[in-house]
Amino acid sequence: MNEKIYSVTSTGLVEEKKPEIVYSLSGKPIDHQGGFYQVDEKTSTLTDNDFQSGHVLWSYRLSAAERSAGYQWAANFKGNFVSDDQGNVYVSTNGGTVHSLDPQGNSRFTLQIMNKIFGYSQIIPLTKNSIVITNNRNVVCLEQVEDDKGGISLWLNGQQAALQYKLIMQDGRVMISLREIFEMLGAQVTWNKENQQITVEKNNKKMVMQIGSKQAYINGVSVISDTAPALMDDVTYVPIRYVSEALGSQVEWDDANRIVRITASATNGSK
């Protein structure tokens, strides 16, 4: 780094020599483990680089699906590329979606912005477990809650999904908020409050379900699910495996780590 940083002391200006202080004061995200983060705008690739040698420690590229949809990363917009005191890094696409990775390059979460408006999110780390994200006059506060009982997490296409409503286990099946799963898989959903009926449409498939009933209809054909949709605390939950597979996705259950892993088909959009 050629830029020089000075600190004001009782004896005058003193040039800072410690790389971590230099990069931090210059506004560049650092990993607090001897490295700094950098974004290559041409390839939408995030790298962690060693302070001394400049060698790349690891790299992470925006998914091909997001890049083909016109989304990209950039580091020249205030607040859209930052790190916190633990070295976790946060970077926003020009569509507002926020990706977060830990200092080892492991994906922590992806917060998908669904407003269809191109614009970078501003990210403000507050504490060890909380951040504030603003986008298009909307404000979201994310807080990591420690779960001693080992909550269930969801990973979509290799990235952990940030959920508004927690996943729950019912009759041995994992249930998810209706709105969240269908938005993730790019499906349109209609809720008929009067008869408590759910209609889901994606590509050439139309699925109709009803609260409390295991019977559903896919393109007019009657099918039986092993778990019925349920309304709990004013939130509609559906069986995650059943609805995901019905829309062409693959679902795996990692019992040891209590993780649901969904691999969406090529036609399933994440935006």
Side-chain angles (χ1 to χ4, degrees):
M1 182 175 178
N2 297 324
E3 182 181 357
K4 293 183 178 180
I5 302 294
Y6 295 87
S7 295
V8 178
T9 69
S10 58
T11 58
L13 294 177
V14 176
E15 183 181 352
E16 289 289 353
K17 297 294 185 179
K18 293 183 179 180
E20 184 165 336
I21 296 178
V22 171
Y23 278 91
S24 180
L25 292 178
S26 66
K28 298 183 183 298
I30 59 177
D31 64 10
H32 291 282
Q33 297 183 7
F36 65 96
Y37 297 114
Q38 196 168 24
V39 165
D40 185 331
E41 298 179 18
K42 293 182 179 180
T43 62
S44 287
T45 301
L46 169 69
T47 58
D48 187 14
N49 311 272
D50 182 75
F51 280 138
Q52 302 297 335
S53 66
H55 292 328
V56 174
L57 304 174
W58 54 259
S59 64
Y60 181 90
R61 193 178 187 190
L62 196 63
S63 71
E66 287 182 278
R67 286 184 279 115
S68 64
Y71 297 109
Q72 61 184 26
W73 282 334
N76 56 346
F77 292 90
K78 184 178 180 180
N80 75 300
F81 177 41
V82 300
S83 62
D84 61 24
D85 291 341
Q86 285 70 49
N88 301 310
V89 62
Y90 309 83
V91 58
S92 166
T93 69
N94 57 340
T97 292
V98 176
H99 297 260
S100 176
L101 293 89
D102 67 18
Q104 287 72 46
N106 300 309
S107 178
R108 299 178 64 234
F109 68 81
T110 298
L111 177 66
Q112 296 177 315
I113 304 297
M114 313 295 293
N115 59 14
K116 307 295 183 182
I117 297 175
F118 278 77
Y120 291 95
S121 293
Q122 183 178 21
I123 308 155
I124 308 169
L126 296 179
T127 66
K128 177 182 177 181
N129 295 320
S130 62
I131 61 170
V132 169
I133 297 172
T134 65
N135 180 277
N136 191 32
R137 299 183 180 180
N138 296 311
V139 180
V140 176
C141 182
L142 296 181
E143 183 173 5
Q144 181 179 351
V145 179
E146 302 296 335
D147 188 351
D148 296 334
K149 297 182 179 180
I152 304 170
S153 60
L154 171 63
W155 288 67
L156 176 64
N157 293 335
Q159 297 181 341
Q160 187 171 6
L163 300 174
Q164 180 179 1
Y165 301 102
K166 67 179 181 179
L167 301 177
I168 62 174
M169 187 74 74
Q170 178 173 298
D171 299 329
R173 303 297 179 186
V174 179
M175 307 284 283
I176 187 172
S177 160
L178 170 144
R179 292 284 178 184
E180 291 186 296
I181 185 60
F182 292 135
E183 286 181 349
M184 288 180 187
L185 298 180
Q188 293 184 335
V189 58
T190 303
W191 165 246
N192 188 319
K193 184 177 180 180
E194 183 175 349
N195 57 20
Q196 295 193 316
Q197 190 176 78
I198 306 158
T199 302
V200 183
E201 295 179 89
K202 179 174 175 60
N203 299 331
N204 296 321
K205 281 192 176 181
K206 180 178 181 179
M207 180 166 53
V208 179
M209 299 176 288
Q210 193 166 18
I211 297 295
S213 174
K214 294 183 179 181
Q215 185 177 34
Y217 294 88
I218 299 179
N219 290 346
V221 179
S222 177
V223 293
I224 301 298
S225 169
D226 52 9
T227 306
L231 189 62
M232 291 173 276
D233 296 327
D234 294 325
V235 178
T236 303
Y237 283 85
V238 293
I240 192 168
R241 177 183 291 276
Y242 178 78
V243 298
S244 299
E245 291 180 344
L247 294 177
S249 298
Q250 296 180 345
V251 182
E252 296 180 2
W253 167 244
D254 182 345
D255 186 61
N257 297 301
R258 296 176 64 79
I259 296 174
V260 178
R261 304 183 191 275
I262 298 179
T263 302
S265 61
T267 55
N268 281 340
S270 60
K271 292 267 174 200

